[in-house]
Amino acid sequence: MQKQNSHIVIEAQAGKETEPFLMPFLQRLLLRWPSLIIFLFGLSCVAAFAFVPTNDVPTKIPTTTLTLALDLPPKPPLLDDVLADEPTFYWVEERIQRGDVIGNVLSRAGLNDPEVRKFIVSDPAARPLYRLRPGRPLRLALDGQGKLHELRLLLSPEEMFMIMREGDTFKTQTIIPEREIRREQRFGEIRSSLFGAADAAGIPDAVTIGMANILGGEIDFYHDLRQGDRFSVVYEMTYVEGELVNSGRILAAEFINRGNEYSAYLWQSPNSEQSGSYYNAKGESSKKAFLRAPLEFSRISSNFSPARLHPLFKSKRAHTGTDFAAPTGTPVRAGGDGVVEFIGKKGGYGNLVILRHAGEITTYYGHLSRFASTTKKGKRVKQGDVIAYVGSSGWATGPHLHYEFRVANKPRDPLKAVLPPSPPISDEYKELFLRQVMVMQEYMQLARDMSGITTIARASFD
């Protein structure tokens, strides 16, 4: 093995035999580790290049030095300087508790401002602060020393009372607060009752009653509800200053009753100034010409019957209407559009209102405690208008409404009578309505998905 010209070589001289022990070793080396031989060969090449001397001399590149005067950026203001120039405030909120007076609430909020306390006590303009209602929020903007910058008290959904500091004085103002409308969607399943399911889903009672009224022309909520019935509803909630003040419109509702689907979607045509009406997914009106029940969701105490044991006379007599048990003073609504034909006392009916409608239809409302101030003979009323209040006048053992539905003066069962529908969506707006339906169905599907329930129906353009 020799080193020549910076190369590593393995040489066997011609005419001479290689030592016996060396050749087998080289053979095994070539067979087992050929990569090692390649590596050694490459290393020899690198060495050859590395050992080659060079006579190159680097060329000197000419340079020129330039000097420029640059303005430095302005020094940023210190945080303390900024805070000193612009006073900062933070908001504190305190809930009014039962028995609170304004002084206690201000102390809990951390107010440390004798001047504003003196103003609240002495200036009549601050008197609204003495109208405290438990649960209402009182909000104060205070500086780092606890001095007042601004005070806000929500007196009602329509009134916001404010006190603002202006130098060394204070200014009061009452404004109409901004309202925020939020959309909510919920899903419920009947276990024991409609209200029980709605409460479990977090649905306000007003929305539950509204849904029952909207779908009351299709579903008998007094008799037909079954365990396992399901419903979805999309509705609005009104907030002021982040506080829930009331529930708003029902935008859409679907109800699965005994395997049958019923739906209602709020629709208002673009050129209409009315509040809108409800239609099913096909554009057919959900509103019937008559309500099956002239009270908001209530309990039936006595059904229509050709022979009923009269609770007073203890004999069987025809019961030509339906009795709805309700507390005295419960509002009674007009069953349909019509004209007041009779108002006054009449035999066993006690205080009675009779409405005359189109198609020889009349409706009777008996045992009333009093009449609405707007109910006058000959006056036109619309479906849902309050015409009177529940009572126990006439032949009655307790407060309830006696409701009769007559056709050509012949009594019919209002819960079973076929009620004519209102006109459907016009062809002009049908496609626009169906697009809106699909959006509402997505919201209701979201509510079902959150409860693990798959979709049931979808609108189509067919």
Side-chain angles (χ1 to χ4, degrees):
M1 184 172 180
Q2 294 180 344
K3 179 178 180 183
Q4 294 181 352
N5 298 329
S6 300
H7 290 278
I8 298 174
V9 297
I10 299 175
E11 180 181 67
Q13 293 182 359
K16 294 184 179 181
E17 294 184 359
T18 306
E19 289 80 0
F21 72 91
L22 183 59
M23 290 303 295
F25 170 76
L26 292 175
Q27 291 174 353
R28 289 196 301 273
L29 187 65
L30 290 170
L31 292 174
R32 295 186 179 182
W33 295 291
S35 60
L36 178 61
I37 301 302
I38 295 172
F39 170 74
L40 293 175
F41 175 75
L43 183 62
S44 66
C45 294
V46 171
F49 281 103
F51 293 155
V52 175
T54 177
N55 294 323
D56 294 340
V57 178
T59 303
K60 186 176 181 179
I61 301 174
T63 60
T64 302
T65 302
L66 298 176
T67 303
L68 298 176
L70 300 177
D71 295 331
L72 293 175
K75 182 180 178 180
L78 296 177
L79 180 60
D80 292 340
D81 296 335
V82 174
L83 297 179
D85 294 338
E86 298 183 7
T88 58
F89 307 96
Y90 61 94
W91 283 94
V92 179
E93 178 181 299
E94 277 294 329
R95 293 280 171 176
I96 307 300
Q97 301 175 11
R98 190 172 299 277
D100 265 343
V101 294
I102 187 60
N104 295 344
V105 184
L106 296 176
S107 296
R108 287 202 308 267
L111 179 73
N112 182 22
D113 195 336
E115 294 177 355
V116 74
R117 286 182 179 271
K118 181 179 178 182
F119 172 79
I120 291 173
V121 172
S122 61
D123 198 310
R127 286 292 177 261
L129 288 180
Y130 293 88
R131 295 161 49 190
L132 300 181
R133 294 182 58 186
R136 295 283 189 188
L138 178 72
R139 295 184 172 91
L140 299 94
L142 306 176
D143 64 13
Q145 286 72 45
K147 291 188 176 298
L148 182 72
H149 172 65
E150 185 177 326
L151 177 149
R152 296 182 181 183
L153 175 63
L154 187 65
L155 301 176
S156 72
E158 292 77 28
E159 287 184 292
M160 170 78 74
F161 177 73
M162 303 173 64
I163 297 179
M164 291 81 66
R165 181 187 289 274
E166 293 186 348
D168 296 331
T169 63
F170 298 95
K171 174 185 175 183
T172 63
Q173 185 179 10
T174 301
I175 64 172
I176 299 176
E178 292 186 6
R179 291 170 171 260
E180 178 188 2
I181 306 298
R182 302 179 189 176
R183 187 201 68 249
E184 297 188 11
Q185 54 274 337
R186 293 287 187 271
F187 167 84
E189 183 170 347
I190 303 294
R191 297 299 183 187
S192 58
S193 68
L194 175 61
F195 281 99
D199 288 343
I203 301 173
D205 286 350
V207 174
T208 305
I209 293 172
M211 180 176 65
N213 290 335
I214 292 168
L215 295 174
E218 301 286 351
I219 303 172
D220 183 353
F221 283 93
Y222 306 96
H223 295 98
D224 289 348
L225 295 188
R226 295 293 183 269
Q227 187 176 15
D229 285 354
R230 299 170 177 176
F231 59 89
S232 305
V233 60
V234 182
Y235 56 93
E236 295 176 338
M237 300 293 280
T238 304
Y239 290 79
V240 175
E241 288 282 297
E243 296 296 313
L244 174 63
V245 293
N246 55 48
S247 56
R249 302 177 302 169
I250 294 177
L251 304 179
E254 287 182 355
F255 206 106
I256 309 300
N257 173 237
R258 296 184 173 188
N260 298 316
E261 180 188 351
Y262 304 94
S263 62
Y265 299 89
L266 180 62
W267 167 254
Q268 181 179 4
S269 60
N271 58 359
S272 174
E273 296 181 357
Q274 298 180 354
S275 58
S277 299
Y278 292 92
Y279 301 83
N280 64 20
K282 297 179 180 179
E284 300 165 343
S285 178
S286 299
K287 177 183 176 182
K288 301 300 181 181
F290 292 91
L291 301 175
R292 294 190 184 275
L295 297 179
E296 290 186 343
F297 196 62
S298 178
R299 177 175 63 87
I300 293 178
S301 56
S302 182
N303 286 302
F304 182 94
S305 174
R308 179 196 67 157
L309 181 64
H310 197 281
L312 286 179
F313 302 107
K314 307 301 180 183
S315 60
K316 286 190 175 182
R317 298 186 178 191
H319 189 239
T320 57
T322 302
D323 291 346
F324 296 90
T328 298
T330 300
V332 177
R333 304 175 300 166
D337 297 348
V339 177
V340 179
E341 185 174 82
F342 177 87
I343 176 173
K345 292 184 179 295
K346 189 172 184 179
Y349 289 105
N351 292 327
L352 175 69
V353 171
I354 300 177
L355 300 182
R356 176 170 44 82
H357 311 275
E360 296 186 293
I361 296 175
T362 53
T363 52
Y364 285 50
Y365 309 82
H367 304 316
L368 304 171
S369 61
R370 59 190 177 94
F371 308 108
S373 59
T374 55
T375 305
K376 307 292 183 183
K377 184 176 181 180
K379 182 178 179 181
R380 300 194 65 84
V381 296
K382 288 183 173 294
Q383 184 183 89
D385 286 351
V386 175
I387 57 173
Y389 299 88
V390 170
S392 53
S393 59
W395 298 344
T397 57
H400 69 279
L401 171 71
H402 176 82
Y403 178 53
E404 290 187 16
F405 184 85
R406 299 190 175 207
V407 180
N409 206 33
K410 293 182 179 180
R412 303 285 181 87
D413 186 347
L415 299 181
K416 296 180 180 179
V418 178
L419 304 179
S422 297
I425 294 285
S426 64
D427 293 338
E428 179 183 2
Y429 298 114
K430 186 70 173 290
E431 183 173 344
L432 184 60
F433 166 75
L434 290 177
R435 292 186 184 278
Q436 180 175 307
V437 166
M438 295 177 70
V439 173
M440 291 295 108
Q441 287 179 335
E442 290 299 325
Y443 291 142
M444 288 189 285
Q445 181 60 40
L446 176 61
R448 287 191 289 266
D449 288 344
M450 294 175 68
S451 302
I453 305 298
T454 56
T455 187
I456 306 220
R458 281 288 179 267
S460 67
F461 293 94
D462 296 336

